[in-house]
Amino acid sequence: MISRYMKEKLSGGSVIRAMFEAGAKMRKERGDENVFDFSLGNPALELPSEITEAVKRLSDEPGIHAYMPNAGYADVRTAIATDYNRRFDTKLMAEDLVMTVGAAGALNVFLKTVINPGDEIIVPAPYFVEYGFYAENVGAILRVVPTDANFRPDMDALRAAVTSKTKVLITNSPNNPTGVVYTADELSAIAEILTDAPHTVYWISDEPYREIIYDDAVQASIFNYYRNSVVAYSYSKSLSLPGERIGYLAVHPDIDDGDDMRRALVTANRILGFVNAPALFQRLVGMYPGMTCDTTFYKRNRDLLLGVMDRCGFHYTRPEGAFYLFVDAPVPDEAAFCARAMDFGLLMVPSSAFGVPGRVRLAYCVAPDMIRRSEQAFWGLASAYGLAGRQ
Amino acid sequence: MISRYMKEKLSGGSVIRAMFEAGAKMRKERGDENVFDFSLGNPALELPSEITEAVKRLSDEPGIHAYMPNAGYADVRTAIATDYNRRFDTKLMAEDLVMTVGAAGALNVFLKTVINPGDEIIVPAPYFVEYGFYAENVGAILRVVPTDANFRPDMDALRAAVTSKTKVLITNSPNNPTGVVYTADELSAIAEILTDAPHTVYWISDEPYREIIYDDAVQASIFNYYRNSVVAYSYSKSLSLPGERIGYLAVHPDIDDGDDMRRALVTANRILGFVNAPALFQRLVGMYPGMTCDTTFYKRNRDLLLGVMDRCGFHYTRPEGAFYLFVDAPVPDEAAFCARAMDFGLLMVPSSAFGVPGRVRLAYCVAPDMIRRSEQAFWGLASAYGLAGRQ
């Protein structure tokens, strides 16, 4: 009786679900302290105290929870645009922004606005698996493009993938699950490919991890490289409030069909049932537009975890941003590897969930102590695969 | 460059937009005190002080803004189910509920779960205009069914509308825009019609105004009349927090295909990009599941406005619930009537936006003083149409 589409969704993609359920069972059987959960991107950091205090103050303001225009509060959008312009040397105005129900809302609103059924959306692999659903929501076809051996964009593959049906490219930098951060040169090369297309291809940069970057990585703005571009942003990670669903969509001031697009985006926000981004948290992010949690927490966690991996003999892609580590499975069947890892109390996500084989994703947005305590488990796992002895 | 669908949406349905824009202009020219805005369902009431205080307390709790299961917090769903069961003598369990981004989220999640493209959705007119978009989001066809002269369900029309293509019926009681509240007998008669269908027809009761009822009206639960039923609820009106987007979807414990459906609803919540209902407000509604604002405020407003209408000679449908008054336009072209009303500083919505001609909707969730001050304007409008003299 449920729809054919949802029936199909229920029968597929149960690997992660099965793992989560097994994880819950594991906790019960072994105790929390013997389970090392690297499976979820749920930040262990608390929000900045300024935000917590502002929640309390704002609660007393009349009308703070009322409807506002579907695009969001104009002053909030102005504050965010101003902050963005200061950081990235751009010229966004309030009307270039729509406040959204997280980055997921932003992506769905944009796709609803531009996609005609049958249009193609290009995405480099590995990619956040939800993109596939968002494409299906609007009748688009997702074309997955390979990246190079280090998961950096493969310009030849990208150029070959752009056809007359291509309407949108989605990139995600810093990347979930690899931690790759695209360089300015890479953005520029991608822009050139899209500019060469005989028709307009819109480029969405999905960047909820924008402020979480390490070492020498620099987050550049696609707005400075390509005109037909939009940014989908979420405060989930930068402010540690993923449960509150607050983000925005920003369009390049000179985007093609801009006047219609700005109106259509606001209409799409309503039509899709999001209606508007949550009111109280709109106010909060508008008050502190550039604020982030202490992201050095993630750098310390990364370094801790890389130490564990190095000592145990695992190979991985060194993350330049975000809070995920993409580790090579020592056998081709990464799902079997994940299942074996559970014998040691280790929970991680097989890379098939991200469109590539042979890896696992570890989320290190966790308590540092758990990373330290997990070393023995990783050592056991490495030994089981004959890795640990190598060092 | 934007999609054909959104292009079409932008070119249509601009009556309300034009009125809003004219309204903003009017305020600027005449001053706020000379504009009487009855166009928006944005509650003038503040939230209960218990909720405001709880916001402050909860803000200090660790992890209060984190991800939770896509269905929402289990304890919150238990609290809501328990309260609902107590009030309506039902047997909901936590797993029968999915916390959603408002009732709009609930409706979209349910339609995504059950609709195959080409399926039909029946809705009695007048109806909340967004239903049409929600149907289109999943490729369904909206079949609008007439109601009787008092906007009560017409059982013959409803029976005639049920075909082999019918998958869903949506009713909205208390009704926006008429204020009609369906009786238990009417629910029972509708249930009989749906039960007679040769296949499963799901019935959605959209009831964000459930707690706002007047006089002798009684809000019954469709769960006690029909098994293949779901309730879409929003706290927007009952707690005066429409900007926060918090609601839920509840399914009948014995609904057809229930196990798959419960899983699919949670998946749909994620797939559509809602991900989960906002975390902090989930906690709040879970702490005070039966709490409402002082809804006698709306009764007093209704009575004030009915007095104004009576004295000015307007005819209307007497609202039994919600906070809208559906007034007969004294000429067939209700849009022209709305435009004329603006000359008197009066903003109201033409009924064509709700699928029926010849009426206007007045939202009376406003400051009582505005209703009092509006009488002179209504008197002027009535005079312009030769009504006021009648009394």
Side-chain angles (χ1 to χ4, degrees), chain B residues 307-316 379 382 387-391:
Chain B
V308 171
M309 292 294 113
D310 288 341
R311 287 189 291 278
C312 292
F314 288 106
H315 295 125
Y316 53 80
W379 185 266
L387 292 178
R390 279 202 219 151
Q391 66 172 156

Side-chain angles (χ1 to χ4, degrees), chain A residues 74 96 146 284 290 345 357 360 372:
Chain A
D96 298 319
L284 291 167
V360 292
R372 285 189 204 98

